[in-house]
Amino acid sequence: MPHLVLEYSGNARDRVDPAVLFAELHPVLARAGGFRLQDFKSRAVRMDRFFIGDGTREQSFVNLDVRTFAGKAPDTRAAITRAALDVLTRAFPATLRETACDISVQITELDRPSFARTRSGDDGDGHRAA
């Protein structure tokens, strides 16, 4: 944890390389949120089918969902969102300039008891094989 899910409208002017963007985001968010760098799992999705507002003018969006376990203090969550917003604002300057764009960051807190996973090397019951 955390999982980063970046969604952005297909009319974004900037051609962002997700690997480059996440290489910048990961250490910034690790510092802001006390995350371990190796725990980030990130993906970017360009949304070519979208509709914003009443559709009468060109509008765009960039949204980053930071999914992490519940329990971070409010000031830590605020630091995470501010840090991410700063990076995203620098990554999408033409989109901000040339379209009516909203860039947003949200934190989705996951309930630890309802989260399950398995990893390479697990024995199938969520335990590491010896």
Side-chain angles (χ1 to χ4, degrees):
M1 234 9 101
H3 287 246
L4 303 183
V5 180
L6 177 68
E7 295 178 329
Y8 58 97
S9 57
N11 64 340
R13 299 298 195 261
D14 306 276
R15 296 296 166 228
V16 173
D17 180 341
V20 172
L21 179 59
F22 290 133
E24 182 178 354
L25 268 171
H26 289 180
V28 167
L29 298 186
R31 283 190 300 277
F35 301 115
R36 296 183 328 159
L37 202 54
Q38 66 266 29
D39 291 337
F40 283 85
K41 293 147 190 91
S42 301
R43 56 268 200 198
V45 181
R46 177 186 161 109
M47 310 299 287
D48 288 318
R49 294 182 178 156
F50 64 94
F51 191 83
I52 302 171
D54 64 6
T56 59
R57 60 187 181 133
E58 188 173 25
Q59 299 178 64
S60 62
F61 69 88
V62 176
N63 176 262
L64 179 68
D65 185 9
V66 180
R67 299 175 186 172
T68 187
F69 289 124
K72 297 273 185 207
D75 60 327
T76 301
R77 291 193 310 269
I80 293 166
T81 57
R82 280 192 310 270
L85 190 60
D86 185 52
V87 171
L88 293 173
T89 299
R90 288 194 312 272
F92 288 91
T95 305
L96 281 167
R97 190 174 53 251
E98 298 173 19
T99 68
C101 180
D102 282 339
I103 297 180
S104 58
V105 178
Q106 68 190 42
I107 295 179
T108 300
E109 292 186 313
L110 303 174
D111 179 55
R112 196 175 293 269
S114 66
F115 180 82
R117 72 172 167 215
T118 190
R119 293 182 176 171
S120 298
D122 286 352
D123 64 9
D125 292 328
H127 299 98
R128 283 271 183 217

